[in-house]
Amino acid sequence: MVTRLQTGKLKLKTVCNLQHIVVEDPDPTCFTMANKHKCWRDAMSAKFQALQQQGTCELVQPPKSQTILGCKWIYKTKRNSDGTIARYKARLVAQGNRQEYDIDYTETFSPVTKLPTIRLFITSAVI
């Protein structure tokens, strides 16, 4: 029996390395760190413009009896499979840890459409 070792046709040993990306510049953790870099300012501006165009939120006077929830920017560098930077992503999220049950906890709503729901509507329309 002729083995690969004898013929010289050895397969390369593939080793999975989960830490293959060397991060020179970690993602910022606060607004003041991100505001120093133009790429993060552009990402925040694009996200804020998208929120305004979609009509996600509107500016209103707060009721005096309600507590106001704060918001925070979350930053993430999206990379390609080879480790190069694809884009900088910034998200504006509400700080829901200040909500109180039965006061303002039940008013939070995030509409998400899932594929099974769309299929159900299409099926009912066909029938």
Side-chain angles (χ1 to χ4, degrees):
M1 181 171 147
V2 180
T3 63
R4 289 188 204 146
L5 182 61
Q6 293 170 347
T7 61
K9 296 181 181 178
L10 296 174
K11 287 185 178 179
L12 294 175
K13 183 178 179 184
T14 57
V15 177
C16 293
N17 183 5
L18 298 177
Q19 299 290 330
H20 69 282
I21 298 173
V22 178
V23 178
E24 302 92 19
D25 223 6
D27 295 336
T29 56
C30 63
F31 177 79
T32 54
M33 289 174 59
N35 199 27
K36 296 176 184 175
H37 302 283
K38 184 181 183 326
C39 56
W40 290 114
R41 285 194 306 265
D42 292 342
M44 289 186 288
S45 175
K47 182 62 177 182
F48 194 71
Q49 287 175 1
L51 288 173
Q52 287 179 334
Q53 288 174 354
Q54 294 171 354
T56 304
C57 56
E58 59 186 45
L59 205 56
V60 296
Q61 288 293 327
K64 294 181 181 178
S65 62
Q66 297 283 324
T67 58
I68 306 301
L69 295 178
C71 59
K72 181 179 179 179
W73 285 100
I74 304 294
Y75 308 99
K76 182 70 177 166
T77 304
K78 297 294 184 174
R79 297 185 180 270
N80 294 324
S81 59
D82 61 351
T84 59
I85 296 174
R87 66 185 179 115
Y88 296 97
K89 186 172 184 179
R91 281 191 172 167
L92 187 63
V93 297
Q95 293 175 324
N97 57 349
R98 295 179 57 201
Q99 290 178 320
E100 296 180 28
Y101 190 73
D102 284 341
I103 296 175
D104 54 5
Y105 182 74
T106 57
E107 295 177 7
T108 303
F109 177 70
S110 176
V112 177
T113 304
K114 295 185 179 181
L115 191 58
T117 308
I118 294 172
R119 286 183 186 156
L120 179 70
F121 282 120
I122 291 173
T123 304
S124 64
V126 169
I127 292 173

